[in-house]
């Protein structure tokens, strides 16, 4: 090798060494800088007194749910009835009337349909008459008739069974096909023939058909068709999946989403739905009991849609029992958004409320208890709470009406707890009550700051029921992480003030995405799919809070963007300490946990499970295409006994379960409270 080549090689080696050294320096610099950044994260200490003596029992009823018929939460939602406007009553009592969403199969040259008042049911007189003009040689091969698309399509699934019931009469023989078809009617998913002679159907006759689907269509429809010329009448058409929760008529997936919150109470059926824009359209419980075909249904003029009231007074109590929640019945007190009944004339409404309580609690031989018994329920339902009206405190006759209701109910049922619409959190009520109602819809920053809302509330007198809360407006989007974090902080504040706040529920619970009347909501669904918003998942963090023990805790350090609480709870035979913390700020925070006051028999506490709700952007949301974009993420929590330190990510809600150990062998958590629920 010549001298020139040696010089070139030496230069390359020197350059490689310098470049390598530079890369190594940069790598070390990055590692050190990252370590320094972690070390310089804000550090806050959470001091926890784990002594049960210093703790306070949280009410068994603290966290529950509020079900209102809004956004087609019930009709076209939780109530699994597939037919919309099953009795043809939605178009009004004057005939001929609109039969939407029913439509004809065929055209006006082959079939003519019109409503009349020939129904056999006194409370819903409208029926549908079909005049078939064509015959077997002139009708289309599939026949002519009517179809119902349900609530934006019926979810029909292969292999599942559907019970179709309807009433029919005719002066001619009948040859009727009852079918479930694809959305455009071209594909038959299931079909049965109903053939009857004139003598069999000359009077109104109920017919039932069981259909088993041979295919799947999430936007299917129900068809009633014939090729036989003549006239026939139909009324009260129902199609129900056989597979509902316990056979009680509740859509399984939506029911399970509710059940996973582990609600301790359910407030129903509203809300503004109870009031109505006008009293003539208010929810009246007596019109929602008895056989489904005899219920008249009504137009909910606040949320602007018709309900057949298949989900009625009886079904709400059944739902409460199924889900293991205490029922809280909200009834109309003679006041709507636009009209009121004077106190001097309020007694019919009072009697209606007393009758509604008797329906639930009365003996099977009592007047209204016997109606319940006729619906298949001999034993009474549990009912301990009623609310007199909804958001009516400022109305002219509310206080006067309230006192009449209160006195009458307490006289007949002294054990029932009565909830007033008037807020007693800042000043005492001027009337007797067991609870007062508190509603709040506001921005994220405002609700976060309301963590302290009940700190200064008097502990004397009635307890607080926060029956409606949510972040709304642009902060909420259609269900954002930002909204959920503010709500989590607010709920931690309620948890820490649970000596005065005994019940709390988010609103609204459900929204059918095809008819969003309110925004945001906890659970979003269509005919076949669903997902929980971040606000829904926040509620799951509090599933073990009701009935647990609130431990004394305090944050030390720069904690203006932090909110935390600590509870002691049991899962089977294991004892846990659960820390919940909201980091509402832009930076991660090191949270050092100092636990004192442990029982002498408890040797130590150790990490067990970490659950974190966060995302890359505070306005991130879930959707049908990304149902799990913002959901809690679980991981094992490894913590040294002498240094219980965790990192709270920016814009996050975290919970940490610490296992109380009396032996050196640690047992894992068997509970999986955050199994993701999605049908996508």
């Amino acid at each position: 090798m010549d001298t020139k080549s040696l010089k070139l090689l030496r230069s390359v080696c020197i350059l490689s060494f310098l470049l390598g050294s530079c890369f190594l320096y940069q790598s070390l610099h990055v590692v050190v800088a990252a370590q320094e950044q972690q070390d310089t994260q804000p550090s806050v200490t959470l001091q926890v007194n784990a002594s049960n003596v210093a703790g306070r029992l949280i009410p068994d009823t603290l966290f529950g749910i509020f079900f209102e018929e809004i956004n087609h939460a019930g009709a076209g939602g939780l109530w699994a009835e597939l037919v919309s406007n099953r009795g043809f009553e939605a178009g009004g009592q004057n005939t001929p009337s609109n039969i939407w969403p029913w439509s004809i199969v065929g055209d006006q040259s082959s079939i003519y349909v019109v409503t009349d008042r020939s129904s056999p049911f006194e409370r819903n007189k409208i029926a549908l008459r079909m005049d078939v003009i064509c015959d077997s040689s002139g009708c289309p091969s599939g026949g002519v008739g009517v179809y119902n698309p349900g609530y934006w399509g019926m979810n029909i699934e292969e292999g599942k069974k559907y019970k179709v019931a309807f009433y029919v009469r005719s002066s001619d023989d009948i040859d009727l096909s009852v079918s479930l078809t694809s959305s455009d009617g071209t594909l038959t998913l299931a079909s049965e023939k109903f053939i009857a002679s004139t003598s069999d159907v000359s009077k109104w006759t109920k017919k039932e058909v069981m259909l088993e689907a041979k295919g799947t269509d999430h936007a299917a429809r129900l068809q009633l068709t014939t090729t036989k010329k003549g006239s026939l009448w139909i009324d009260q058409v129902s199609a129900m999946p056989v597979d509902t929760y316990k056979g009680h008529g509740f859509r399984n997936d939506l029911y399970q989403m509710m059940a996973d919150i582990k609600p301790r109470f359910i407030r129903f059926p509203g809300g503004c739905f109870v009031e109505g824009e006008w009293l003539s359209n208010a929810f009246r419980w007596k019109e929602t009991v008895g056989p489904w075909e005899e219920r008249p249904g009504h137009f909910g003029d606040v949320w602007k849609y018709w309900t057949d009231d298949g989900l009625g007074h009886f079904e709400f109590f059944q739902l409460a029992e199924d889900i293991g929640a205490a029922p809280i019945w909200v009834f109309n007190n003679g006041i709507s958004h636009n009209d009121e009944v004077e106190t001097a004339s309020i007694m019919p409404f009072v009697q209606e409320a007393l009758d509604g309580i008797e329906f639930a609690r009365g003996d099977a031989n009592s007047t209204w208890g016997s109606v319940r018994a006729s619906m298949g329920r001999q034993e009474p339902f549990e009912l301990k709470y009623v609310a007199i009206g909804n958001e009516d405190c400022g109305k002219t006759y509310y206080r006067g009406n309230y006192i009449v209701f209160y006195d009458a109910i307490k006289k007949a049922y002294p054990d029932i707890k009565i909830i007033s619409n008037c807020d007693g959190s800042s000043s005492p009520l001027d009337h007797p009550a067991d609870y007062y109602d508190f509603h709040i819809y506001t921005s994220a920053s405002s609700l976060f700051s309301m963590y302290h809302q009940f700190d200064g509330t008097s502990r004397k007198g009635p307890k607080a029921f926060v029956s409606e809360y949510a972040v709304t407006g642009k902060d909420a989007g259609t269900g954002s992480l930002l909204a959920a974090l503010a709500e989590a902080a607010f709920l931690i504040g309620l948890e820490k003030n649970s000596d005065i706040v005994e019940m709390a529920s988010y609103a609204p619970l459900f929204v059918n995405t095809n008819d969003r009347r309110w925004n945001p909501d906890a659970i979003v669904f269509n005919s076949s799919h669903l997902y929980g918003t971040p606000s829904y998942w926040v509620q799951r963090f509090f599933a073990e809070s009701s009935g647990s023990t609130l431990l004394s805790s305090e944050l030390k350090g720069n904690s203006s963007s932090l909110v935390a609480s600590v509870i002691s709870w049991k899962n089977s035979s294991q004892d846990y300490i659960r820390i919940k913390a909201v980091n509402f700020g832009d930076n991660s925070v090191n949270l050092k946990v100092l636990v004192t006051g442990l029982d002498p028999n408890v040797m130590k506490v150790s990490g067990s499970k970490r659950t974190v709700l966060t995302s890359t952007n505070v306005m991130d949301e879930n959707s049908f295409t990304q149902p799990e974009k913002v959901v809690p993420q679980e991981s094992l929590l490894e913590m040294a006994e002498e240094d219980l330190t965790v990192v709270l990510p920016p814009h996050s809600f975290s919970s940490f379960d610490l296992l109380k150990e009396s032996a050196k062998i640690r047992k894992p958590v068997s509970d999986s409270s955050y199994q993701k629920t999605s049908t996508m």
Side-chain angles (χ1 to χ4, degrees):
M1 183 180 294
D2 58 23
T3 303
K4 182 181 287 188
S5 298
L6 285 172
K7 287 182 179 180
L8 178 61
L9 179 61
R10 186 183 299 113
S11 299
V12 169
C13 289
I14 293 172
L15 181 60
S16 298
F17 173 77
L18 291 174
L19 287 172
S21 299
C22 180
F23 175 75
L24 178 61
Y25 170 77
Q26 288 177 333
S27 300
L28 289 171
H29 180 73
V30 169
V31 170
V32 172
Q35 183 65 45
E36 287 177 350
Q37 184 178 3
Q38 182 176 351
D39 293 340
T40 58
Q41 285 176 350
S43 183
V44 175
T45 298
L46 178 65
Q47 295 183 335
V48 181
N49 184 342
S51 168
N52 285 330
V53 176
R56 172 170 47 77
L57 193 63
I58 295 173
D60 285 335
T61 56
L62 184 56
F63 294 116
I65 55 178
F66 166 42
F67 184 99
E68 177 168 15
E69 182 58 88
I70 180 178
N71 304 320
H72 280 276
L78 181 64
W79 188 243
E81 172 63 64
L82 296 174
V83 176
S84 176
N85 188 21
R86 65 187 181 193
F88 306 100
E89 306 290 325
Q93 295 302 301
N94 296 321
T95 58
S97 57
N98 190 333
I99 63 171
W100 186 89
W102 292 88
S103 295
I104 64 170
V105 178
D107 56 41
Q108 292 182 349
S109 67
S110 57
I111 185 172
Y112 173 73
V113 300
V114 65
T115 56
D116 62 25
R117 294 183 57 81
S118 64
S119 171
F121 304 110
E122 288 302 317
R123 293 197 294 177
N124 41 18
K125 294 301 297 181
I126 307 300
L128 184 71
R129 173 179 170 174
M130 293 198 316
D131 293 331
V132 179
I133 302 168
C134 58
D135 56 23
S136 57
S137 61
C139 285
S141 58
V144 297
V146 291
Y147 74 87
N148 188 291
Y151 299 91
W152 303 281
M154 298 179 179
N155 182 36
I156 303 302
E157 298 179 289
E158 183 176 0
K160 292 193 174 181
K161 294 181 178 180
Y162 303 85
K163 181 180 178 181
V164 178
F166 59 96
Y167 286 76
V168 62
R169 76 175 177 91
S170 177
S171 55
D172 303 300
D173 295 345
I174 285 180
D175 184 351
L176 192 67
S177 292
V178 181
S179 310
L180 294 169
T181 75
S182 58
S183 57
D184 60 3
T186 59
L187 177 65
T188 299
L189 305 173
S191 186
E192 290 288 344
K193 280 272 192 181
F194 168 58
I195 300 173
S197 64
T198 305
S199 60
D200 293 330
V201 291
S202 60
K203 295 181 180 180
W204 282 105
T205 305
K206 183 178 182 179
K207 297 297 177 182
E208 294 182 349
V209 176
M210 189 68 71
L211 300 178
E212 183 173 346
K214 301 298 189 274
T216 295
D217 192 323
H218 301 313
R221 69 193 202 186
L222 173 70
Q223 289 190 173
L224 304 176
T225 56
T226 183
T227 59
K228 190 171 183 60
K229 188 174 183 178
S231 297
L232 60 87
W233 286 258
I234 59 173
D235 195 15
Q236 296 299 330
V237 185
S238 169
M240 286 284 281
V242 171
D243 182 20
T244 63
Y245 185 77
K246 288 187 175 181
H248 290 161
F250 308 121
R251 180 173 149 178
N252 282 313
D253 54 351
L254 295 182
Y255 174 89
Q256 193 59 52
M257 287 287 278
M258 287 194 308
D260 287 343
I261 297 175
K262 299 181 183 179
R264 297 302 184 94
F265 67 83
I266 176 170
R267 177 181 182 241
F268 64 86
C272 297
F273 181 70
V274 169
E275 299 168 276
E277 287 292 338
W278 300 93
L279 284 172
S280 59
N281 290 318
F283 180 86
R284 308 300 288 269
W285 76 267
K286 289 183 179 180
E287 296 181 348
T288 74
V289 297
W292 59 266
E293 56 266 53
E294 296 180 11
R295 303 181 190 184
H298 80 288
F299 179 68
D301 59 355
V302 175
W303 306 122
K304 309 301 183 188
Y305 61 89
W306 176 266
T307 58
D308 290 315
D309 289 331
L311 181 57
H313 199 54
F314 179 94
E315 289 77 17
F316 279 118
F317 282 105
Q318 185 64 66
L319 175 62
E321 182 174 277
D322 286 349
I323 209 166
I328 300 178
W329 179 36
V330 185
F331 55 76
N332 189 287
N333 65 106
I335 297 175
S336 76
H337 288 181
N338 292 296
D339 54 349
E340 302 182 43
V341 174
E342 296 181 7
T343 302
S345 304
I346 199 60
M347 278 310 299
F349 282 81
V350 175
Q351 189 59 53
E352 185 173 323
L354 292 171
D355 292 345
I357 297 172
E358 182 180 272
F359 177 91
R361 292 183 34 156
D363 184 89
N365 295 318
S366 64
T367 301
W368 287 101
S370 66
V371 176
R372 182 197 68 240
S374 72
M375 298 177 69
R377 172 80 181 207
Q378 289 288 321
E379 63 274 16
F381 288 110
E382 181 180 357
L383 176 60
K384 296 180 179 179
Y385 306 93
V386 297
I388 301 174
N390 172 72
E391 296 180 347
D392 292 329
C393 183
K395 301 294 179 63
T396 302
Y397 295 107
Y398 180 73
R399 283 173 168 79
N401 292 358
Y402 173 92
I403 291 297
V404 180
F405 278 97
Y406 181 93
D407 289 344
I409 293 170
K410 284 294 186 181
K411 181 178 180 180
Y413 304 97
D415 62 307
I416 283 185
K417 304 298 184 184
I418 297 178
I419 303 162
S420 167
N421 287 179
C422 300
D423 176 19
S425 63
S426 55
S427 60
L429 298 182
D430 59 1
H431 52 273
D434 297 296
Y435 293 87
Y436 56 83
D437 219 344
F438 183 91
H439 295 183
I440 181 64
Y441 298 99
T442 187
S443 67
S445 60
S446 176
L447 195 63
F448 178 83
S449 67
M450 290 180 70
Y451 159 74
H452 294 292
Q453 175 67 28
F454 291 92
D455 288 3
T457 297
S458 172
R459 266 47 183 172
K460 297 178 181 179
K463 301 295 186 179
F465 179 17
V466 182
S467 65
E468 299 182 32
Y469 74 86
V471 170
T472 53
K474 64 181 181 180
D475 286 350
T478 55
S480 70
L481 172 64
L482 178 63
L485 296 180
E487 290 156 4
F490 181 64
L491 291 185
I492 286 176
L494 299 187
E495 188 176 68
K496 299 190 79 167
N497 281 286
S498 55
D499 56 333
I500 183 62
V501 180
E502 288 202 351
M503 295 184 285
S505 51
Y506 178 91
L509 181 62
F510 286 119
V511 58
N512 186 315
T513 191
N514 294 287
D515 190 32
R516 190 183 288 270
R517 300 282 168 166
W518 185 278
N519 185 63
D521 311 271
I523 301 167
V524 184
F525 66 92
N526 56 26
S527 70
S528 56
H529 295 79
L530 78 165
Y531 64 87
T533 63
S535 295
Y536 167 81
W537 291 106
V538 160
Q539 294 174 66
R540 295 277 293 270
F541 277 76
F542 292 85
E544 280 75 35
S545 291
S546 298
S548 65
T549 299
L550 178 71
L551 299 180
S552 176
S553 63
E554 184 180 2
L555 287 168
K556 300 275 188 159
N558 183 12
S559 59
S560 60
S561 65
L562 299 184
V563 171
S565 68
V566 186
I567 64 170
S568 175
W569 67 286
K570 291 185 177 182
N571 180 17
S572 300
S573 59
Q574 298 298 305
D575 289 353
Y576 298 94
I577 292 174
R578 173 169 291 177
I579 299 165
K580 294 190 293 292
V582 175
N583 182 0
F584 206 59
D586 298 331
N587 300 309
S588 296
V589 175
N590 289 323
L591 182 68
K592 183 177 181 64
V593 182
L594 298 178
V595 181
T596 61
L598 287 170
D599 187 287
N601 295 320
V602 178
M603 294 177 59
K604 64 177 181 176
V605 294
S606 61
S608 180
K609 183 176 70 173
R610 175 203 309 262
T611 308
V612 181
L613 180 71
T614 190
S615 193
T616 55
N617 190 303
V618 291
M619 295 308 296
D620 280 350
E621 303 180 358
N622 295 328
S623 63
F624 287 116
T625 55
Q626 291 183 290
E628 297 179 357
K629 184 174 184 177
V630 190
V631 297
Q633 300 296 325
E634 283 187 3
S635 61
L636 292 176
L637 178 61
E638 298 295 338
M639 301 173 70
E641 181 181 354
E642 65 279 1
D643 183 19
L644 303 179
T645 300
V646 294
V647 176
L648 305 179
H651 301 123
S652 66
F653 182 29
S654 305
S655 75
F656 307 94
D657 280 343
L658 310 180
L659 175 62
K660 296 180 183 179
E661 293 187 274
S662 55
K664 291 186 178 180
I665 299 176
R666 200 178 77 200
K667 299 178 181 179
V669 174
S670 60
D671 176 53
S672 184
S673 300
Y674 302 94
Q675 290 181 353
K676 299 162 191 169
T677 305
S678 174
T679 59
M680 292 299 292

